[in-house]
Amino acid sequence: MNKARLAAKLVEWVGHRNLLGLWRWSGALALNYHRIGDPGDSLFDPGLWSATDEDFDAQVRFLKAHFDLVGPGDLAELQRRGRGRHALITFDDGYRDNYEHAFPILRAHRVPALFFVAAGLIDRGTASWWDEIAWMVRTAPRRSLPASRWTSHPIALDDPGALGTLLGRYKSLPESETAAYLSSLAETSGSGRCPPEAAAGTWMTWEMVRAMRDGGMAIGGHTVTHPVLSRLDEEGQRREIAGCADRLRAELQLPMRWFSYPVGGRGSFNQETRRCLREAGVELAFSYYGGYRSYREWDPYDVRRIAIEREIDLSRFRAITTLPSLFGRERRNSST
Ligand SMILES: [Zn+2]
């Protein structure tokens, strides 16, 4: 289909008035990345790589040319003014490539970004639950898991959908059952648990996070152990949120003003989460189910973000950022 026909179809499909509204959107367009670079032969979850260095560089260049790229400290004032299209680059989890790959690119373009770190992953340096499940799938000597209390049917580990199924199951569990689930996977697959040395160099050190802070990047919290917060009772949520704030204060001498919800779907946080965030003094909390947050419907504890994933080429990236309510909808895959 040529461009003119495509445009005509688009107008017909969305409706002319709606399309004008889509073009004229105003608000905060927050994009979310996890890892930058090339997964190569990594045994960890390949879905976490959001862009190659080259793609990330091209995306930053495009954003810088077409948007006001802002930091989280600007958003309250911009929201009060209620006008303009502002873009915010964010990263979740605290992977070392954020420091080694993304930070130099951001610095070269002189643009700000916001990095959310899970304090316990930085402290311990061991594999996260999603990377450990990916590691088990890749290394297990037994290539099929029998049906069990965890999965209603056998799972062939060579099936391309196996990892997504196992991650989805983890996310559906009450937090109290997650450790038993990982042990069961380790045992039935024959992989055992991921040894700490397999995760060496995966996470930033606090020294690296401090260097990014000093280089003008904003740092926010992402809990201690990266649980789905809504699966914890209020006390458990408070421990994860306040515990992360304590570590940021101790290591970075920063209050935890910004926060992102692990997993980040609509069901991953609740009223108790919001209460704990308020108590901890958090000013903005970011979700992760697509779309953007318009200044008219502002919710400081649900600033929506769009997932950027490796298969998004520059033309799709342009479409997503130009018409986020059309192309930046709900995420389909299961990253964290
Ligand atoms: Zn995360």
Side-chain angles (χ1 to χ4, degrees), residues 34 92-93 130 222 226 262-263 336:
H34 287 89
D92 276 6
D93 299 337
W130 59 93
H222 195 46
H226 205 292
V263 180
T336 56

Side-chain angles (χ1 to χ4, degrees), residues 193-236:
R193 296 297 298 261
C194 181
E197 57 272 21
T202 298
W203 303 105
M204 287 190 278
T205 62
W206 286 112
E207 198 59 45
M208 294 171 185
V209 183
R210 279 190 285 274
M212 294 212 298
R213 173 202 64 188
D214 296 343
M217 300 296 144
I219 311 295
H222 195 46
T223 73
V224 178
T225 68
H226 205 292
V228 180
L229 284 167
S230 58
R231 308 232 182 280
L232 298 177
D233 63 18
E234 184 160 348
E235 197 37 50

